[in-house]
Amino acid sequence: MHIIKDENGNVCPHGHEHSHEHGHAHTHDGVCQEGCSGCEPHDPKKENIALLTYMLQHNEHHAAELDQMADKLRKAGMDTAAEQIRKAVDEFQKGNLYLSVALATVKEN
């Protein structure tokens, strides 16, 4: 399970689990559980900021992993597959830009 943090860096675990091919599981409902000292369950803005921050960082991590995979495939002579992954990484980066704008907007309001 991954842990999200609020805008002050306080740890906030959150709820439903799923896993990825590379073997880690994490959760995504954004609701802070009991014992989370940094965020209050009654503050949706803080919950949204924490979840958006986590998701943006998580997506950036996956984009970097995919970029490394594309390098390995290119070195192995699999240029077509590497190119498709590079295109996917470009789309991840576009999505991350939109998430960054959304996060900034939530923080401003």
Coordinates of all heavy atoms in Angstrom, one line a residue, residues 11-96:
V11 N 1.3 12.1 6.7 CA 0.8 10.9 6.1 C -0.6 10.6 6.3 O -1.2 10.8 7.4 CB 1.6 9.7 6.7 CG1 1.1 8.4 6.2 CG2 3.1 9.8 6.4
C12 N -1.3 10.3 5.2 CA -2.8 10.0 5.2 C -3.0 8.7 4.5 O -3.1 8.7 3.2 CB -3.6 11.1 4.6 SG -3.4 12.7 5.4
P13 N -3.2 7.6 5.1 CA -3.5 6.3 4.4 C -4.9 6.5 3.8 O -5.8 7.2 4.3 CB -3.5 5.2 5.4 CG -3.5 5.9 6.7 CD -3.1 7.3 6.6
H14 N -5.2 5.8 2.7 CA -6.5 5.8 2.1 C -6.9 4.5 1.5 O -6.1 3.7 1.2 CB -6.6 7.0 1.1 CG -5.6 6.9 0.0 ND1 -4.3 7.2 0.2 CD2 -5.7 6.6 -1.3 CE1 -3.6 7.0 -0.9 NE2 -4.4 6.7 -1.8
G15 N -8.1 4.3 1.3 CA -8.9 3.1 1.1 C -8.9 2.2 -0.1 O -8.2 1.5 -0.3
H16 N -9.6 1.9 -1.2 CA -9.6 0.6 -1.9 C -8.3 0.2 -2.6 O -7.6 1.1 -3.2 CB -10.8 0.7 -2.9 CG -10.4 1.1 -4.3 ND1 -10.5 2.3 -4.7 CD2 -10.0 0.3 -5.3 CE1 -10.1 2.4 -6.0 NE2 -9.8 1.2 -6.4
E17 N -8.0 -1.0 -2.6 CA -6.7 -1.5 -3.1 C -6.8 -2.1 -4.5 O -7.8 -2.7 -4.9 CB -6.1 -2.5 -2.2 CG -5.7 -1.9 -0.9 CD -4.7 -2.7 -0.1 OE1 -4.0 -3.5 -0.8 OE2 -4.6 -2.5 1.1
H18 N -5.8 -1.9 -5.3 CA -5.6 -2.6 -6.5 C -4.1 -2.7 -6.8 O -3.3 -2.0 -6.2 CB -6.3 -2.0 -7.7 CG -5.7 -0.7 -8.2 ND1 -6.1 0.5 -7.6 CD2 -4.8 -0.4 -9.1 CE1 -5.5 1.5 -8.2 NE2 -4.7 0.9 -9.1
S19 N -3.7 -3.6 -7.6 CA -2.2 -3.8 -7.8 C -1.9 -3.6 -9.3 O -2.7 -3.7 -10.2 CB -1.8 -5.1 -7.3 OG -2.5 -6.1 -8.0
H20 N -0.6 -3.3 -9.5 CA 0.0 -3.2 -10.8 C 0.9 -4.3 -11.2 O 1.3 -5.0 -10.3 CB 0.8 -1.8 -10.9 CG -0.1 -0.6 -10.8 ND1 -0.7 -0.1 -11.8 CD2 -0.4 0.1 -9.7 CE1 -1.4 1.0 -11.4 NE2 -1.2 1.1 -10.1
E21 N 1.3 -4.4 -12.4 CA 2.1 -5.5 -12.9 C 3.4 -5.6 -12.1 O 4.0 -6.6 -11.9 CB 2.4 -5.4 -14.4 CG 1.2 -5.8 -15.2 CD 1.5 -5.7 -16.7 OE1 2.6 -5.7 -17.0 OE2 0.5 -5.7 -17.4
H22 N 4.0 -4.4 -11.7 CA 5.3 -4.5 -11.1 C 5.2 -4.8 -9.6 O 6.2 -4.7 -8.9 CB 6.1 -3.2 -11.4 CG 5.4 -2.0 -11.0 ND1 5.4 -1.5 -9.7 CD2 4.7 -1.1 -11.8 CE1 4.7 -0.3 -9.7 NE2 4.3 -0.1 -10.9
G23 N 4.0 -5.2 -9.1 CA 3.9 -5.8 -7.8 C 3.6 -5.0 -6.6 O 3.7 -5.5 -5.5
H24 N 3.3 -3.7 -6.8 CA 2.9 -3.0 -5.6 C 1.4 -2.7 -5.6 O 0.8 -2.6 -6.7 CB 3.7 -1.7 -5.4 CG 3.4 -0.6 -6.3 ND1 4.0 -0.5 -7.6 CD2 2.6 0.4 -6.3 CE1 3.6 0.5 -8.2 NE2 2.7 1.1 -7.4
A25 N 0.8 -2.7 -4.5 CA -0.6 -2.3 -4.4 C -0.8 -1.0 -3.7 O 0.1 -0.6 -2.9 CB -1.3 -3.4 -3.6
H26 N -1.8 -0.3 -4.1 CA -2.1 1.0 -3.5 C -3.5 1.3 -3.5 O -4.3 0.6 -4.1 CB -1.2 2.1 -4.1 CG -1.5 2.3 -5.5 ND1 -0.9 1.5 -6.5 CD2 -2.2 3.2 -6.2 CE1 -1.3 1.9 -7.6 NE2 -2.0 2.9 -7.5
T27 N -3.9 2.4 -2.9 CA -5.3 2.7 -2.7 C -5.6 4.1 -3.3 O -4.7 4.9 -3.5 CB -5.6 2.7 -1.2 OG1 -4.8 3.6 -0.5 CG2 -5.4 1.3 -0.6
H28 N -6.9 4.3 -3.5 CA -7.3 5.6 -4.2 C -8.6 6.2 -3.8 O -9.1 6.9 -4.7 CB -7.4 5.3 -5.7 CG -6.1 5.0 -6.4 ND1 -5.0 5.9 -6.4 CD2 -5.6 3.9 -7.0 CE1 -4.0 5.4 -7.0 NE2 -4.4 4.2 -7.4
D29 N -9.1 6.1 -2.7 CA -10.4 6.8 -2.5 C -10.2 8.2 -1.8 O -11.1 9.0 -1.8 CB -11.4 6.0 -1.7 CG -11.0 5.8 -0.3 OD1 -10.0 6.3 0.2 OD2 -11.8 5.1 0.4
G30 N -9.0 8.5 -1.3 CA -8.7 9.8 -0.8 C -9.2 10.1 0.6 O -9.1 11.2 1.1
V31 N -9.9 9.2 1.2 CA -10.5 9.4 2.5 C -9.4 9.1 3.6 O -8.9 8.0 3.6 CB -11.7 8.6 2.7 CG1 -12.3 8.8 4.1 CG2 -12.8 8.9 1.7
C32 N -9.1 10.1 4.4 CA -8.1 9.9 5.5 C -8.8 9.0 6.5 O -9.9 9.2 6.9 CB -7.7 11.2 6.0 SG -6.7 12.2 4.9
Q33 N -8.0 8.1 7.1 CA -8.4 7.2 8.1 C -8.1 7.8 9.5 O -7.4 8.7 9.6 CB -7.7 5.8 7.9 CG -7.9 5.2 6.5 CD -9.3 4.9 6.2 OE1 -10.1 4.5 7.1 NE2 -9.7 5.1 5.0
E34 N -8.7 7.1 10.5 CA -8.3 7.5 11.9 C -6.8 7.5 12.1 O -6.2 6.6 11.5 CB -9.0 6.6 12.9 CG -10.5 6.8 13.0 CD -11.1 5.9 14.0 OE1 -11.1 6.4 15.2 OE2 -11.5 4.8 13.7
G35 N -6.3 8.3 12.9 CA -4.9 8.3 13.1 C -4.1 9.2 12.2 O -2.9 9.4 12.3
C36 N -4.8 9.8 11.2 CA -4.1 10.7 10.3 C -4.1 12.1 10.9 O -5.1 12.7 11.0 CB -4.8 10.7 9.0 SG -4.1 11.9 7.8
S37 N -2.9 12.5 11.4 CA -2.8 13.7 12.2 C -2.8 15.0 11.3 O -3.2 16.0 11.8 CB -1.5 13.7 13.0 OG -0.4 13.6 12.2
G38 N -2.5 14.9 10.1 CA -2.3 16.1 9.3 C -3.5 16.5 8.5 O -3.6 17.6 8.0
C39 N -4.5 15.6 8.3 CA -5.7 16.0 7.5 C -6.9 15.7 8.2 O -7.0 14.7 9.0 CB -5.6 15.5 6.1 SG -5.4 13.7 6.0
E40 N -8.0 16.4 8.0 CA -9.2 16.2 8.7 C -10.2 15.6 7.7 O -10.4 16.1 6.6 CB -9.7 17.5 9.3 CG -8.8 18.2 10.2 CD -9.2 19.6 10.7 OE1 -10.4 19.9 10.5 OE2 -8.4 20.3 11.2
P41 N -10.9 14.5 8.1 CA -11.9 13.9 7.3 C -13.0 14.8 6.8 O -13.6 14.6 5.8 CB -12.4 12.7 8.1 CG -11.5 12.6 9.2 CD -10.8 13.8 9.4
H42 N -13.2 15.9 7.5 CA -14.3 16.8 7.2 C -13.8 17.9 6.3 O -14.6 18.8 6.0 CB -14.9 17.4 8.4 CG -15.4 16.4 9.4 ND1 -16.4 15.5 9.1 CD2 -14.9 16.0 10.6 CE1 -16.6 14.7 10.1 NE2 -15.7 14.9 11.0
D43 N -12.6 17.9 5.8 CA -12.1 18.9 4.9 C -11.8 18.3 3.5 O -10.8 17.9 3.2 CB -10.8 19.5 5.5 CG -10.4 20.8 4.7 OD1 -10.8 21.0 3.6 OD2 -9.6 21.5 5.3
P44 N -12.9 18.4 2.6 CA -12.7 17.8 1.3 C -11.6 18.5 0.5 O -10.9 17.8 -0.3 CB -14.1 18.1 0.6 CG -15.0 18.6 1.6 CD -14.2 18.9 2.9
K45 N -11.3 19.8 0.7 CA -10.3 20.4 0.0 C -8.9 19.8 0.3 O -8.1 19.5 -0.6 CB -10.2 21.9 0.3 CG -9.1 22.7 -0.4 CD -9.1 24.1 -0.1 CE -8.0 24.8 -0.9 NZ -8.0 26.3 -0.7
K46 N -8.6 19.6 1.6 CA -7.4 18.9 1.9 C -7.3 17.5 1.4 O -6.2 17.1 0.9 CB -7.2 18.9 3.5 CG -6.8 20.2 4.0 CD -6.6 20.1 5.5 CE -6.2 21.5 6.1 NZ -5.9 21.4 7.5
E47 N -8.4 16.8 1.4 CA -8.4 15.4 0.9 C -8.1 15.5 -0.6 O -7.4 14.7 -1.1 CB -9.8 14.8 1.2 CG -10.0 14.4 2.6 CD -11.4 13.9 2.9 OE1 -12.1 13.6 1.9 OE2 -11.7 13.7 4.1
N48 N -8.8 16.4 -1.3 CA -8.6 16.5 -2.8 C -7.1 16.9 -3.1 O -6.5 16.4 -4.1 CB -9.6 17.5 -3.4 CG -11.0 17.0 -3.4 OD1 -11.2 15.8 -3.6 ND2 -11.9 17.8 -3.3
I49 N -6.6 17.8 -2.4 CA -5.2 18.2 -2.6 C -4.2 17.0 -2.3 O -3.3 16.8 -3.2 CB -4.8 19.4 -1.7 CG1 -5.5 20.7 -2.2 CG2 -3.3 19.6 -1.7 CD1 -5.4 21.9 -1.3
A50 N -4.5 16.3 -1.3 CA -3.6 15.2 -1.0 C -3.7 14.1 -2.0 O -2.7 13.6 -2.5 CB -4.0 14.6 0.4
L51 N -4.9 13.8 -2.5 CA -5.1 12.8 -3.5 C -4.5 13.2 -4.8 O -3.9 12.4 -5.5 CB -6.6 12.4 -3.6 CG -6.9 11.2 -4.5 CD1 -6.1 10.0 -4.1 CD2 -8.3 10.9 -4.6
L52 N -4.8 14.4 -5.2 CA -4.3 14.9 -6.5 C -2.7 14.9 -6.5 O -2.1 14.6 -7.5 CB -4.8 16.3 -6.9 CG -6.2 16.3 -7.5 CD1 -6.7 17.7 -7.6 CD2 -6.1 15.7 -8.9
T53 N -2.2 15.4 -5.4 CA -0.7 15.4 -5.3 C -0.2 14.0 -5.4 O 0.8 13.7 -6.2 CB -0.3 16.0 -3.9 OG1 -0.8 17.4 -3.9 CG2 1.2 16.0 -3.8
Y54 N -0.8 13.1 -4.7 CA -0.3 11.7 -4.8 C -0.4 11.1 -6.2 O 0.5 10.5 -6.7 CB -1.2 10.8 -3.8 CG -1.0 9.3 -4.1 CD1 0.2 8.7 -3.6 CD2 -1.9 8.6 -4.8 CE1 0.3 7.3 -3.9 CE2 -1.7 7.3 -5.1 CZ -0.6 6.6 -4.6 OH -0.4 5.3 -4.9
M55 N -1.6 11.3 -6.8 CA -1.8 10.8 -8.2 C -0.8 11.4 -9.2 O -0.3 10.7 -10.0 CB -3.3 11.0 -8.6 CG -4.3 10.3 -7.8 SD -4.1 8.5 -7.9 CE -4.4 8.2 -9.6
L56 N -0.6 12.7 -9.1 CA 0.4 13.3 -10.0 C 1.8 12.7 -9.8 O 2.4 12.3 -10.8 CB 0.4 14.8 -9.7 CG 1.4 15.6 -10.6 CD1 1.1 15.4 -12.1 CD2 1.3 17.1 -10.2
Q57 N 2.2 12.6 -8.6 CA 3.5 12.0 -8.3 C 3.6 10.5 -8.8 O 4.6 10.1 -9.3 CB 3.9 12.1 -6.8 CG 4.1 13.5 -6.4 CD 4.2 13.7 -4.9 OE1 4.0 12.7 -4.1 NE2 4.7 14.8 -4.4
H58 N 2.5 9.8 -8.6 CA 2.4 8.4 -9.0 C 2.5 8.3 -10.5 O 3.3 7.5 -11.0 CB 1.1 7.8 -8.4 CG 1.0 6.4 -8.7 ND1 1.6 5.4 -7.8 CD2 0.3 5.7 -9.6 CE1 1.3 4.2 -8.3 NE2 0.5 4.3 -9.3
N59 N 1.8 9.1 -11.2 CA 1.8 9.1 -12.7 C 3.2 9.5 -13.2 O 3.7 8.9 -14.2 CB 0.8 10.1 -13.2 CG -0.6 9.5 -13.2 OD1 -0.8 8.3 -12.8 ND2 -1.6 10.3 -13.6
E60 N 3.9 10.5 -12.6 CA 5.2 10.9 -13.0 C 6.2 9.7 -12.8 O 7.0 9.5 -13.7 CB 5.7 12.1 -12.2 CG 4.9 13.3 -12.6 CD 5.2 14.5 -11.6 OE1 5.7 14.3 -10.5 OE2 4.9 15.7 -12.0
H61 N 6.0 8.9 -11.7 CA 6.8 7.8 -11.5 C 6.6 6.7 -12.6 O 7.6 6.2 -13.1 CB 6.5 7.2 -10.1 CG 7.3 5.9 -9.8 ND1 8.6 5.9 -9.5 CD2 6.9 4.7 -9.8 CE1 9.0 4.7 -9.3 NE2 8.0 3.9 -9.5
H62 N 5.4 6.5 -12.9 CA 5.1 5.5 -14.0 C 5.6 5.9 -15.3 O 6.2 5.1 -16.1 CB 3.6 5.2 -14.1 CG 3.1 4.2 -13.0 ND1 3.6 3.0 -12.9 CD2 2.2 4.4 -12.1 CE1 3.0 2.4 -11.9 NE2 2.1 3.2 -11.4
A63 N 5.5 7.2 -15.6 CA 6.1 7.7 -16.9 C 7.6 7.5 -17.0 O 8.1 7.1 -18.0 CB 5.8 9.2 -17.0
A64 N 8.3 7.7 -15.8 CA 9.7 7.5 -15.8 C 10.1 6.0 -16.0 O 11.0 5.7 -16.7 CB 10.3 8.0 -14.5
E65 N 9.3 5.1 -15.4 CA 9.5 3.7 -15.5 C 9.3 3.3 -17.0 O 10.1 2.5 -17.5 CB 8.5 2.9 -14.6 CG 8.8 3.0 -13.2 CD 7.7 2.2 -12.4 OE1 6.5 2.3 -12.7 OE2 8.1 1.6 -11.4
L66 N 8.2 3.8 -17.6 CA 8.0 3.5 -19.0 C 9.1 4.0 -19.9 O 9.5 3.3 -20.9 CB 6.6 4.0 -19.4 CG 5.4 3.2 -18.9 CD1 4.1 4.0 -19.1 CD2 5.3 1.9 -19.5
D67 N 9.6 5.2 -19.6 CA 10.7 5.7 -20.4 C 11.9 4.8 -20.3 O 12.6 4.6 -21.4 CB 11.0 7.1 -19.9 CG 11.8 8.0 -20.9 OD1 11.4 7.9 -22.1 OD2 12.7 8.7 -20.5
Q68 N 12.2 4.3 -19.2 CA 13.3 3.4 -19.0 C 13.1 2.1 -19.8 O 14.0 1.6 -20.4 CB 13.6 3.1 -17.5 CG 14.1 4.2 -16.7 CD 14.1 4.0 -15.2 OE1 13.7 2.9 -14.8 NE2 14.6 4.9 -14.5
M69 N 11.9 1.6 -19.8 CA 11.5 0.4 -20.5 C 11.7 0.7 -22.0 O 12.3 -0.2 -22.7 CB 10.1 0.0 -20.3 CG 9.7 -1.3 -21.0 SD 8.0 -1.7 -20.8 CE 8.0 -2.2 -19.1
A70 N 11.3 1.8 -22.5 CA 11.5 2.1 -23.9 C 13.0 2.1 -24.3 O 13.4 1.6 -25.3 CB 10.9 3.5 -24.2
D71 N 13.9 2.7 -23.4 CA 15.3 2.6 -23.6 C 15.8 1.2 -23.8 O 16.6 0.9 -24.7 CB 16.1 3.3 -22.5 CG 16.0 4.8 -22.6 OD1 15.7 5.4 -23.7 OD2 16.2 5.5 -21.5
K72 N 15.4 0.3 -22.9 CA 15.8 -1.1 -22.9 C 15.3 -1.8 -24.2 O 16.1 -2.5 -24.8 CB 15.2 -1.8 -21.7 CG 15.9 -1.4 -20.4 CD 15.3 -2.1 -19.2 CE 15.9 -1.7 -17.9 NZ 15.3 -2.3 -16.7
L73 N 14.1 -1.5 -24.6 CA 13.6 -2.1 -25.8 C 14.3 -1.6 -27.0 O 14.6 -2.4 -27.9 CB 12.1 -1.9 -25.9 CG 11.2 -2.6 -24.9 CD1 9.7 -2.1 -25.0 CD2 11.3 -4.1 -25.1
R74 N 14.6 -0.4 -27.1 CA 15.3 0.2 -28.2 C 16.7 -0.5 -28.3 O 17.2 -0.9 -29.3 CB 15.5 1.7 -28.1 CG 16.1 2.3 -29.4 CD 16.0 3.8 -29.5 NE 14.7 4.4 -29.2 CZ 13.7 4.5 -30.0 NH1 13.8 4.0 -31.2 NH2 12.6 5.1 -29.7
K75 N 17.4 -0.6 -27.1 CA 18.7 -1.2 -27.1 C 18.6 -2.7 -27.5 O 19.6 -3.3 -28.0 CB 19.3 -1.1 -25.7 CG 19.8 0.3 -25.4 CD 20.3 0.4 -23.9 CE 20.6 1.8 -23.6 NZ 20.9 2.0 -22.2
A76 N 17.5 -3.3 -27.3 CA 17.3 -4.7 -27.7 C 16.8 -4.9 -29.1 O 16.5 -6.0 -29.6 CB 16.3 -5.4 -26.7
G77 N 16.8 -3.8 -29.8 CA 16.4 -3.8 -31.2 C 14.9 -3.8 -31.5 O 14.4 -4.1 -32.6
M78 N 14.1 -3.5 -30.5 CA 12.6 -3.5 -30.6 C 12.2 -2.0 -30.7 O 11.4 -1.5 -29.9 CB 12.0 -4.2 -29.4 CG 12.4 -5.6 -29.3 SD 11.6 -6.4 -27.9 CE 12.9 -7.4 -27.3
D79 N 12.6 -1.4 -31.8 CA 12.3 0.0 -32.1 C 10.8 0.4 -32.1 O 10.4 1.4 -31.6 CB 13.0 0.5 -33.3 CG 14.5 0.5 -33.2 OD1 15.0 0.4 -32.0 OD2 15.2 0.5 -34.2
T80 N 10.0 -0.5 -32.8 CA 8.6 -0.2 -32.9 C 7.9 -0.2 -31.5 O 7.1 0.7 -31.2 CB 7.9 -1.2 -33.8 OG1 8.5 -1.2 -35.1 CG2 6.4 -1.0 -34.0
A81 N 8.2 -1.2 -30.7 CA 7.6 -1.2 -29.3 C 8.1 0.0 -28.5 O 7.3 0.6 -27.8 CB 8.0 -2.5 -28.6
A82 N 9.4 0.3 -28.7 CA 10.0 1.5 -27.9 C 9.3 2.8 -28.3 O 8.9 3.6 -27.5 CB 11.5 1.6 -28.2
E83 N 9.0 2.9 -29.6 CA 8.4 4.1 -30.1 C 6.9 4.2 -29.6 O 6.5 5.3 -29.2 CB 8.3 4.2 -31.6 CG 7.7 5.4 -32.2 CD 8.4 6.7 -31.8 OE1 9.6 6.7 -31.5 OE2 7.7 7.7 -31.7
Q84 N 6.2 3.1 -29.5 CA 4.9 3.1 -29.0 C 4.9 3.5 -27.5 O 4.0 4.3 -27.0 CB 4.2 1.8 -29.1 CG 3.9 1.4 -30.6 CD 3.1 2.5 -31.3 OE1 2.0 2.9 -30.8 NE2 3.5 3.0 -32.4
I85 N 5.8 3.0 -26.7 CA 6.0 3.4 -25.3 C 6.3 4.9 -25.2 O 5.7 5.6 -24.3 CB 7.0 2.5 -24.6 CG1 6.4 1.1 -24.5 CG2 7.3 3.0 -23.2 CD1 7.4 0.1 -24.0
R86 N 7.2 5.4 -26.0 CA 7.5 6.8 -26.0 C 6.3 7.7 -26.2 O 6.0 8.7 -25.6 CB 8.6 7.2 -27.1 CG 9.9 6.5 -26.8 CD 10.8 7.4 -26.0 NE 12.1 6.8 -25.9 CZ 12.8 6.7 -24.8 NH1 12.3 7.2 -23.7 NH2 14.0 6.1 -24.8
K87 N 5.4 7.2 -27.2 CA 4.2 7.9 -27.4 C 3.3 7.9 -26.2 O 2.6 8.9 -25.8 CB 3.4 7.3 -28.6 CG 4.1 7.6 -29.9 CD 3.4 7.0 -31.1 CE 4.1 7.3 -32.4 NZ 3.4 6.6 -33.6
A88 N 3.2 6.7 -25.5 CA 2.4 6.6 -24.3 C 3.0 7.6 -23.2 O 2.2 8.2 -22.5 CB 2.4 5.2 -23.8
V89 N 4.3 7.7 -23.1 CA 4.9 8.6 -22.1 C 4.5 10.0 -22.4 O 4.2 10.8 -21.5 CB 6.4 8.4 -22.1 CG1 7.1 9.5 -21.2 CG2 6.8 7.0 -21.5
D90 N 4.5 10.4 -23.7 CA 4.1 11.7 -24.1 C 2.7 12.0 -23.6 O 2.4 13.1 -23.1 CB 4.2 11.9 -25.6 CG 5.6 12.0 -26.1 OD1 6.5 12.2 -25.3 OD2 5.8 11.9 -27.4
E91 N 1.8 11.0 -23.7 CA 0.4 11.2 -23.3 C 0.3 11.2 -21.8 O -0.4 12.0 -21.2 CB -0.5 10.0 -23.8 CG -0.6 10.0 -25.3 CD -1.2 11.3 -25.9 OE1 -2.1 11.9 -25.3 OE2 -0.7 11.8 -26.9
F92 N 1.1 10.4 -21.1 CA 1.2 10.6 -19.6 C 1.6 12.0 -19.2 O 1.0 12.6 -18.3 CB 2.3 9.6 -19.0 CG 1.8 8.3 -18.5 CD1 1.5 7.3 -19.4 CD2 1.7 8.0 -17.2 CE1 1.1 6.0 -19.0 CE2 1.3 6.8 -16.7 CZ 1.0 5.8 -17.6
Q93 N 2.6 12.5 -19.9 CA 3.0 13.9 -19.6 C 2.0 14.9 -19.8 O 1.8 15.9 -19.1 CB 4.3 14.2 -20.3 CG 5.5 13.3 -19.8 CD 6.8 13.4 -20.6 OE1 6.7 13.8 -21.8 NE2 7.9 13.1 -20.0
K94 N 1.2 14.7 -20.9 CA 0.1 15.7 -21.2 C -0.9 15.6 -20.0 O -1.4 16.6 -19.6 CB -0.6 15.3 -22.5 CG 0.3 15.7 -23.7 CD -0.5 15.3 -25.0 CE 0.4 15.5 -26.2 NZ -0.2 15.0 -27.4
G95 N -1.3 14.3 -19.7 CA -2.2 14.1 -18.6 C -1.7 14.7 -17.3 O -2.5 15.3 -16.5
N96 N -0.4 14.6 -17.0 CA 0.2 15.2 -15.8 C 0.1 16.7 -15.8 O -0.1 17.3 -14.7 CB 1.6 14.7 -15.6 CG 1.6 13.2 -15.2 OD1 0.7 12.6 -14.8 ND2 2.8 12.6 -15.4

